[in-house]
Amino acid sequence: MIKFLDSKLFRYLSVFLFLNSSILPVKSSSALAAWAIKTNGVLELRTKSNTNLRAYFQKANQISGDRFWVDFPGELKNPRTIKGNGPIKEIRLGKPNNGQTRLVIEFKEETYLKPLTWRLVGLDQNRWRINLFEPKYPFKKIGEGQVSKRIGNIRKYEKTIYKKKSDYKYLKLPDVKQNKFLVVIDPGHGGPDPGAIGIGGIRETDVVLEVSKIVKNLLSEKGIKVKLTRKNEVDLDLPPRVSFANNIDADIFVSIHANASRGKRRDINGLETFYYRGWRGRLLAKKIQKQILRVSPGSPDRGVKQGRYYVIKNTRMPAVLVEIGFLTGRLDARRLEKTTHRKRLAYAIAKGILEYLHKIG
C-alpha cells in the first residue's frame, strides 16, 4: 500500500525480483519490456530479470492532472508520448535520468482514484500488476508489446506459480538417487511455544509446520527418506531435536522458522538462511536461499550467514536454519498467511535440498 509522504506526493513503493541474471548495468537497454492498461483499469508490466521497480503517485497541479509513474533501470532509446482515451489523458515514456526509464500515466480531471488502496503485485519472475481505477465507461486498451509471456510452447503450463493449483510439476524438481538419503526437517517451536506472533495473530508454529509437512511430501515423492522432528503441536525442546537427527545419522538437517522484528516494524521483510560451519552446510544454505527468493519476489535477500543456533551448531551433519519471512512485515505476513505461498516456499526448500543432494551425489 502506498502511503502519504506529504500532502501531494506519495511515498514510493519499491519491489525487487531475485532471479539468476545479474542486475542491469546503468547504460543497458530499458528493463521495461512491455506494458498494457486494460479495459478493467489494471496496469500490467513485463520487465527483464532482476528488476527493481519504484512506483509513485502525485496529485494534480496547475500544469498536469493526477499522475502515476513507474521508474525502471536501463536506458530508454526512444522517448515518446501516446495519446490516451477514456479516463487516460496520455502516457509518456521518457528518460528522467541517464540509465533510467519512466512510464507516466496521466489521468483526466474527472477520474476518481484511490491510491491508498493501490498495491503493485508480482505475478511471476517478470510480470507485475496494479489495479489503478474502476472504469465508469468503456475505453480501449492501451499498451505496447506482449505482457503475457508463455513458458516455452506448453500452453497448459502458462499460468504462473502464483495461481497454479497443482503440485508445481511444471517446475520440475531435480532427480536424485532413490532411497539413498535421509533428511530431517525440523518445524521450529510448537505446543505452548508458538514462536513469533505476526500481523493479525498469525503464528510461526502453524506456518512452519504446514511448510515442513509439504516439504516432506515433495521429498518423499523423489525417493528421499524424510523424518519430521514434530508432526503436530507438541512441546519439543532443542536438545531432543538435535539428538533425533544425530541418532538416526541423517544426511542433512533443515530447521524451518519465520521471523519477527523488534518493535514489530511492518517495513522490515526478508529471507535468510543460516549455517554453522563447513562448505557442505554453506552449500546447502545457498541452494535453499536461492530458491526461496525466487518464489518471494519483493522480499529482500538478507543473505546466507553463519549462525550459532543450537540446532545447527550441535548436529553432526550439514545443517541449516531457514527464515522464510517476517510475520511482522507487511509484505511477508500477507503472503505467509496464505496456503498458496506456503506451498511455494515448501517447493523452493525441497528444490534447494534436492539440488544439494544431487551435487554431493
Side-chain angles (χ1 to χ4, degrees), residues 33-72:
W35 62 273
I37 305 172
K38 297 193 170 183
T39 55
N40 60 357
V42 172
L43 169 67
E44 291 193 353
L45 305 167
R46 180 163 63 85
T47 65
K48 292 184 178 180
S49 300
N50 236 6
T51 298
N52 171 14
L53 283 69
R54 291 186 175 183
Y56 303 79
F57 174 79
Q58 189 171 32
K59 294 290 291 182
N61 53 38
Q62 294 179 347
I63 301 174
S64 304
D66 289 347
R67 285 161 291 160
F68 170 79
W69 71 88
V70 186
D71 287 344
F72 307 84

Side-chain angles (χ1 to χ4, degrees), residues 78-193:
N78 180 29
R80 53 200 178 273
T81 298
I82 299 169
K83 185 179 180 180
N85 72 90
I88 308 297
K89 181 179 178 180
E90 65 180 21
I91 297 94
R92 298 187 292 274
L93 290 104
K95 184 174 69 173
N97 299 297
N98 289 334
Q100 282 190 325
T101 295
R102 176 169 293 176
L103 170 68
V104 181
I105 300 169
E106 184 172 341
F107 299 91
K108 292 181 179 178
E109 184 177 349
E110 65 273 14
T111 307
Y112 178 64
L113 304 172
K114 296 187 290 184
L116 288 176
T117 66
W118 287 351
R119 287 175 180 167
L120 186 62
V121 179
L123 301 177
D124 59 17
Q125 300 114 307
N126 59 0
R127 291 196 307 131
W128 305 85
R129 173 181 293 163
I130 182 170
N131 192 349
L132 295 175
F133 58 92
E134 300 291 336
K136 292 184 179 180
Y137 306 102
F139 73 101
K140 295 180 181 179
K141 175 183 174 181
I142 314 168
E144 295 179 317
Q146 183 178 343
V147 176
S148 298
K149 188 176 182 181
R150 294 177 180 172
I151 302 173
N153 294 316
I154 307 176
R155 289 179 178 270
K156 67 179 180 178
Y157 293 152
E158 283 182 340
K159 290 186 178 180
T160 71
I161 59 175
Y162 276 77
K163 294 186 177 180
K164 191 75 173 177
K165 294 182 180 179
S166 69
D167 58 357
Y168 308 100
K169 288 181 180 177
Y170 75 116
L171 294 173
K172 182 175 172 60
L173 289 169
D175 293 320
V176 296
K177 293 181 180 179
Q178 300 280 301
N179 304 313
K180 178 181 179 180
F181 301 104
L182 172 57
V183 174
V184 171
I185 303 295
D186 173 43
H189 306 279
D193 174 19

Side-chain angles (χ1 to χ4, degrees), residues 190-291:
D193 174 19
I197 305 295
I199 297 172
I202 183 173
R203 305 193 316 162
E204 179 179 4
T205 181
D206 300 326
V207 174
V208 301
L209 182 58
E210 182 178 356
V211 171
S212 297
K213 287 181 176 180
I214 300 170
V215 172
K216 178 182 184 297
N217 291 338
L218 290 170
L219 293 178
S220 297
E221 290 175 359
K222 284 293 182 177
I224 306 296
K225 188 175 181 180
V226 186
K227 297 289 186 179
L228 294 175
T229 57
R230 66 177 181 95
K231 299 178 182 179
N232 46 43
E233 289 302 328
V234 296
D235 187 10
L236 186 63
D237 204 356
L238 300 180
R241 298 173 193 253
V242 171
S243 297
F244 177 74
N246 287 339
N247 290 340
I248 63 175
D249 196 25
D251 291 290
I252 62 172
F253 177 94
V254 178
S255 189
I256 300 175
H257 290 254
N259 237 326
S261 62
R262 291 182 180 179
K264 297 187 176 181
R265 289 178 53 184
R266 297 194 174 197
D267 61 317
I268 296 179
N269 301 273
L271 301 95
E272 54 194 342
T273 306
F274 295 88
Y275 72 102
Y276 176 61
R277 62 173 172 261
W279 70 268
R280 289 176 182 263
R282 178 172 174 78
L283 177 62
L284 176 60
K286 289 175 68 174
K287 294 290 187 183
I288 292 175
Q289 180 73 4
K290 174 184 174 181
Q291 294 302 326

